[in-house]
Coordinates of all heavy atoms in Angstrom, one line a residue:
M1 N 118.6 82.4 118.6 CA 118.8 83.3 117.4 C 119.9 84.3 117.6 O 120.0 84.9 118.6 CB 117.4 84.1 117.1 CG 117.5 84.9 115.9 SD 115.9 85.8 115.6 CE 116.5 86.8 114.2
R11 N 125.1 91.0 108.1 CA 125.5 90.7 106.7 C 124.6 89.7 106.1 O 124.2 89.7 104.9 CB 127.0 90.4 106.6 CG 127.9 91.6 106.6 CD 129.3 91.2 106.2 NE 129.9 90.4 107.2 CZ 130.6 90.9 108.2 NH1 130.8 92.2 108.4 NH2 131.3 90.1 109.1
R14 N 121.2 91.1 105.4 CA 121.2 91.9 104.1 C 121.2 91.0 102.9 O 120.4 91.3 101.9 CB 122.5 92.8 104.1 CG 122.4 94.0 105.0 CD 123.5 95.0 104.6 NE 123.4 96.2 105.5 CZ 124.1 96.3 106.6 NH1 124.9 95.3 107.1 NH2 124.0 97.4 107.4
N59 N 119.8 96.9 91.5 CA 119.8 95.6 92.2 C 118.4 95.3 92.9 O 118.4 94.8 94.0 CB 120.9 95.6 93.3 CG 122.3 95.8 92.6 OD1 122.5 95.3 91.5 ND2 123.2 96.5 93.3
D77 N 111.6 120.8 92.9 CA 113.1 120.6 92.5 C 113.5 119.2 93.0 O 113.4 119.0 94.2 CB 113.9 121.7 93.0 CG 113.6 123.1 92.4 OD1 113.2 123.1 91.3 OD2 113.7 124.1 93.2
P81 N 121.4 111.8 95.3 CA 122.6 111.7 96.0 C 123.8 111.4 95.1 O 123.6 110.6 94.1 CB 122.3 110.5 97.0 CG 121.3 109.7 96.2 CD 120.4 110.7 95.4
L83 N 128.1 110.5 95.3 CA 129.2 110.2 96.2 C 130.1 111.5 96.2 O 130.6 111.9 95.2 CB 130.0 109.0 95.6 CG 129.2 107.7 95.6 CD1 130.2 106.6 95.1 CD2 128.6 107.3 96.9
F93 N 124.0 116.4 97.4 CA 122.6 116.2 96.8 C 122.5 117.2 95.6 O 122.6 118.4 95.9 CB 121.5 116.5 97.8 CG 121.6 115.4 98.9 CD1 122.3 115.5 100.1 CD2 120.9 114.2 98.7 CE1 122.4 114.5 101.0 CE2 120.9 113.2 99.6 CZ 121.7 113.4 100.8
H119 N 129.7 122.3 90.9 CA 129.3 123.7 91.0 C 128.2 123.8 92.0 O 127.2 123.1 92.0 CB 128.7 124.0 89.6 CG 129.7 124.1 88.5 ND1 130.6 125.2 88.4 CD2 130.0 123.3 87.5 CE1 131.4 124.9 87.4 NE2 131.0 123.8 86.8
V137 N 117.5 98.3 102.8 CA 117.5 96.9 102.5 C 116.5 96.2 103.4 O 115.9 95.2 102.9 CB 118.9 96.4 102.9 CG1 119.0 94.8 102.8 CG2 120.0 96.9 101.9
Y153 N 124.2 107.6 104.1 CA 123.2 108.5 104.6 C 123.4 108.9 106.1 O 123.2 110.0 106.4 CB 121.8 107.8 104.4 CG 121.2 107.9 103.0 CD1 121.4 106.9 102.1 CD2 120.6 109.1 102.5 CE1 121.0 107.0 100.8 CE2 120.2 109.2 101.2 CZ 120.3 108.2 100.3 OH 119.8 108.3 99.1
G164 N 117.3 120.5 115.9 CA 117.1 121.6 115.1 C 116.4 121.3 113.8 O 116.0 120.2 113.6

Side-chain angles (χ1 to χ4, degrees):
M1 180 179 173
R11 282 193 289 270
R14 280 194 182 94
N59 301 323
D77 294 328
L83 299 183
F93 294 91
H119 292 287
V137 175
Y153 280 98

